[in-house]
Amino acid sequence: MTSRRAHLSGVWWVRAGLGLTALVLALGLEWLRPPWLDRLDEGTRDVFLRYTASQQQEQRLVVVDISEAALRDTSSWPWPRQRVADLVEILLETYGARAVGLDIVFPEPADPQGDARLASLAQHAPLVLAQIFDYSRRDSPNVQGVLAGGWRPLDEGGGAQAFGYMGNHVGLELASCVGNIGYVPDVDGVLRQIPMQTLFHGKTYPHFARALLACNTNRAPVAWGEKGLWRVPYTRDFSAYTVIAATDILNETAPRALLAGRYVLVGSSALGLGDRVSTPLAPLASGVMVHAASLTGLLDVQAGLRQAPWSGRGWLLAWCVLSFALAVYLMARVVAWKGFFLLLILVFGWLGLAFWGVSRQAEWSLTAPLFGYFFLLLVAVPHEWWQAQLRGRQLLRSFSHYVAQPVLDEIVRLNLQHSLEPRLLDVTVLVADMEGYTRATSSLSLEDAAVLTKDFLGCLTRPVLDWQGTLDKYTGDGLVAFWGAPLPCSDQADQAVSAALAILAEVEALNLRRQLKGWMPVQVRIGIESGRALVGDLGTAFRSTYTAVGDCINFASRLEAAARYLPTQLVIGPVAQHKLMKHTTKSLGEISLRNTSTTIEVFAVQD
């Protein structure tokens, strides 16, 4: 009896240790917040926001959009200051707007009369001008224009430290209300938090939305967390905001009821102005919509509809202590498979609480407790299962029923392995590469070079996938793809050529966008050839890869390189040309392949 009690006591000590380990794991992740956990949390939050964003119309503010159409109907950007002043005066006087925020910076003076009108409005009317802070340390800080709107002493809540700025020209330095429109996106490029208050040279500067609220009411709620950053609530879908074209305001054709007594944000959705950001609600949204979401959040806080951000760690601590203790206690009294469902119930219980907290600005980790449950699933459930086997022969026999399952799993795995075994197949290979990549990126910043590379690879990848190709690998600034495996493809050469033509069209469209920004165009070279190749899993035990190896891959690569000296961007080999049924080609003559003694006739698509 004593031995049995000692055994039971030891078992319970083990259980207590497992529960404590799960608790330490969950709380450690919550407090340490490693970058990978932050990325997982933010991605989960984004999904939640997209599915819960309200479609109810926002009645307290309006967005006035200087759109592409507005620029076509009036003139190209920048507008004369007279027109900007007209827009503000019409909004305030004719439409009775409560306050106007210009999501535009004027670092240089323009027409004197327009600048004078704008300066007078900024000094005496409920008008908020914009300035941009730079939060990156640079060898030479970005400094342009004149800062305005700084507060002393430091306001409550701390602030985000800035190192440079772009302000308005000196003629606007007496503006009564000025707000910062600068931001720092997360590492994945998504804008989730904004610096509601910025520190620069001993002064604090409010964010644009907060300045707009304070300009009209002389007060604004403190609604941010650590380092002056505030998580934009994104509680409403962007379609919930009333957006009016700037030309409708200038022509005074917009209904007055849409603007009277409302806050007005003036910004631009024109692609040429480059004010686009990635948000949890949309991968590409105009910056003014982020300010609209921020202003909505502040108005909700001011009205008592939403609370300021809070850590939520007290709630998380209490939940973890109670749930892990309950899990350990109950798993000792149920069979192992029921322990799995118990953990599943606790997981869904936490997710319900976690998303409730997210909707109320809780900054806790959504996924940290899940790793505690996962630990219990991996360790505590097997431990209880093993203990259950020791409690009786009947449960041991039940365990024996599971012996065949791993065998079945192994058979399934071997069948899958067999289907991936290397085989000799007829394939058509496409190799694409950017011409002069080093030259194209030598004058670009690291960020711009990365954007160019990603955009270019997107132009190559989308057509390959659209035309049912298999993406073999990326080669820095290019790719290798093939048709004919793993699924057979009777018109593989035509599919490859169709994909190549689509690539050329995508690159042409990319160049049009780059030319609008004053950037040099890029060129693509493509080589296509067919032949026999060894296709399958050619990896190792350390890393598996599904790829193709054969002369046709080498030939396609050399054809791509040969395009540099031929009057075409797309070069087709003789074997692939012979397979074509839908595309008409013309001969380019015979060429010698680089680093070989082989001479072949090559072809281009007939225009």
Side-chain angles (χ1 to χ4, degrees):
M1 181 65 70
T2 303
S3 174
R4 185 171 181 273
R5 287 178 178 175
H7 172 74
L8 290 175
S9 177
V11 170
W12 275 105
W13 276 110
V14 171
R15 289 167 177 161
L18 294 177
L20 183 60
T21 302
L23 179 64
V24 170
L25 175 62
L27 297 184
L29 290 174
E30 163 63 28
W31 259 261
L32 295 177
R33 293 289 183 90
W36 61 267
L37 184 73
D38 270 338
R39 290 194 293 270
L40 181 60
D41 281 338
E42 296 299 350
T44 308
R45 283 176 179 267
D46 292 349
V47 173
F48 174 76
L49 290 175
R50 283 195 292 272
Y51 279 97
T52 59
S54 172
Q55 301 283 341
Q56 182 179 0
Q57 200 73 16
E58 170 61 89
Q59 300 291 338
R60 298 166 295 183
L61 63 96
V62 171
V63 174
V64 172
D65 183 20
I66 304 174
S67 61
E68 300 278 5
L71 296 179
R72 286 196 303 268
D73 293 343
T74 53
S75 62
S76 60
W77 191 259
W79 274 357
R81 299 290 159 77
Q82 287 276 33
R83 182 173 297 140
V84 177
D86 287 343
L87 181 65
V88 174
E89 286 184 353
I90 292 171
L91 286 169
L92 292 173
E93 297 175 7
T94 303
Y95 284 99
R98 187 169 186 174
V100 175
L102 286 179
D103 182 22
I104 305 166
V105 182
F106 306 102
E108 301 292 340
D111 49 296
Q113 187 175 358
D115 274 337
R117 289 175 60 199
L118 200 57
S120 178
L121 288 166
Q123 190 173 357
H124 303 291
L127 171 65
V128 178
L129 299 183
Q131 56 194 10
I132 305 174
F133 280 100
D134 183 6
Y135 300 93
S136 300
R137 290 184 181 272
R138 306 177 190 274
D139 294 336
S140 298
N142 293 326
V143 176
Q144 187 175 359
V146 178
L147 282 180
W151 299 345
R152 286 180 185 272
L154 292 180
D155 197 3
E156 66 271 48
Q161 182 65 55
F163 303 97
Y165 65 86
M166 176 186 289
N168 296 294
H169 63 84
V170 68
L172 299 175
E173 66 176 338
L174 297 180
S176 300
C177 304
V178 182
N180 165 46
I181 59 175
Y183 58 86
V184 182
D186 289 349
V187 293
D188 59 357
V190 179
L191 179 54
R192 300 184 180 94
Q193 299 185 88
I194 57 174
M196 191 58 73
Q197 186 164 263
T198 297
L199 306 180
F200 187 77
H201 288 184
K203 288 187 177 182
T204 60
Y205 297 84
H207 186 262
F208 189 62
R210 186 177 184 229
L212 184 61
L213 200 57
C215 186
N216 182 260
T217 62
N218 293 322
R219 64 185 180 88
V222 177
W224 54 86
E226 299 178 359
K227 300 180 181 179
L229 295 177
W230 185 56
R231 184 181 294 278
V232 182
Y234 293 115
T235 54
R236 295 178 189 262
D237 190 81
F238 290 151
S239 62
Y241 292 92
T242 300
V243 180
I244 302 175
T247 49
D248 290 342
I249 303 298
L250 291 170
N251 297 330
E252 300 185 21
T253 57
R256 188 179 186 281
L258 290 180
L259 295 109
R262 299 189 186 186
Y263 293 95
V264 177
L265 294 167
V266 180
S268 175
S269 64
L271 289 174
L273 300 188
D275 187 21
R276 292 296 179 115
V277 295
S278 178
T279 71
L281 299 184
L284 202 61
S286 57
V288 70
M289 299 309 298
V290 176
H291 302 317
S294 302
L295 183 56
T296 289
L298 287 177
L299 289 170
D300 286 344
V301 172
Q302 190 177 66
L305 302 175
R306 177 171 296 276
Q307 64 188 96
W310 53 295
S311 72
R313 283 178 170 173
W315 286 62
L316 184 143
L317 174 61
W319 172 272
C320 287
V321 170
L322 292 174
S323 66
F324 291 147
L326 182 65
V328 170
Y329 178 79
L330 293 181
M331 280 195 298
R333 285 161 170 77
V334 298
V335 295
W337 66 268
K338 289 185 178 180
F340 168 79
F341 284 104
L342 170 64
L343 289 176
L344 196 61
I345 291 171
L346 292 175
V347 165
F348 282 106
W350 162 249
L351 290 177
L353 178 63
F355 287 127
W356 171 86
V358 167
S359 67
R360 287 160 177 79
Q361 295 288 81
E363 288 294 322
W364 56 25
S365 170
L366 297 175
T367 57
L370 301 183
F371 288 92
Y373 299 131
F374 187 62
F375 170 80
L376 292 179
L377 176 65
L378 291 181
V379 181
V381 170
H383 174 263
E384 294 302 332
W385 172 79
W386 179 66
Q387 289 294 323
Q389 308 316 303
L390 298 178
R391 286 196 292 265
R393 187 180 300 271
Q394 183 177 1
L395 292 179
L396 186 60
R397 286 198 300 268
S398 297
F399 165 68
S400 67
H401 296 162
Y402 293 91
V403 172
Q405 188 61 46
V407 177
L408 180 60
D409 292 342
E410 183 69 3
I411 293 174
V412 172
R413 189 186 69 81
L414 289 176
N415 284 338
L416 178 60
Q417 183 69 22
H418 176 73
S419 68
L420 296 177
E421 284 183 358
R423 293 176 292 168
L424 277 174
L425 298 172
D426 288 320
V427 297
T428 297
V429 181
L430 180 151
V431 177
D433 201 3
M434 182 190 296
E435 183 173 340
Y437 177 78
T438 302
R439 184 179 70 254
T441 58
S442 60
S443 61
L444 299 179
S445 66
L446 180 61
E447 292 79 4
D448 289 340
V451 170
L452 170 59
T453 304
K454 290 172 64 177
D455 289 346
F456 184 77
L457 290 177
C459 293
L460 305 185
T461 306
R462 284 187 294 272
V464 167
L465 299 181
D466 289 344
W467 287 96
Q468 289 78 51
T470 299
L471 179 60
D472 186 342
K473 65 178 73 71
Y474 288 115
T475 58
D477 58 331
L479 60 72
V480 178
F482 54 84
W483 283 257
L487 298 177
C489 181
S490 59
D491 58 345
Q492 55 184 250
D494 285 291
Q495 295 267 41
V497 172
S498 296
L501 295 176
I503 288 173
L504 296 176
E506 288 242 7
V507 173
E508 183 178 354
L510 173 64
N511 283 331
L512 290 177
R513 297 193 297 271
R514 290 177 58 78
Q515 289 171 5
L516 290 175
K517 299 179 180 180
W519 294 341
M520 63 181 294
V522 295
Q523 297 294 326
V524 62
R525 301 193 306 262
I526 305 173
I528 294 177
E529 182 57 310
S530 300
R532 298 279 284 179
L534 185 64
V535 184
D537 183 357
L538 301 179
T540 67
F542 301 99
R543 184 173 181 178
S544 180
T545 179
Y546 186 80
T547 187
V549 177
D551 288 341
C552 57
I553 291 88
N554 299 328
F555 282 149
S557 178
R558 289 182 170 88
L559 292 176
E560 173 270 315
R564 179 182 304 174
Y565 311 105
L566 295 172
T568 181
Q569 295 173 269
L570 169 58
V571 181
I572 304 171
V575 181
Q577 191 273 339
H578 182 71
K579 288 177 173 287
L580 291 175
M581 296 178 288
K582 301 176 183 177
H583 293 281
T584 305
T585 60
K586 60 182 178 182
S587 176
L588 297 176
E590 293 187 343
I591 64 170
S592 296
L593 295 181
R594 185 184 61 183
N595 298 330
T596 72
S597 58
T598 304
T599 299
I600 62 172
E601 185 179 11
V602 295
F603 300 85
V605 175
Q606 183 75 48
D607 295 333

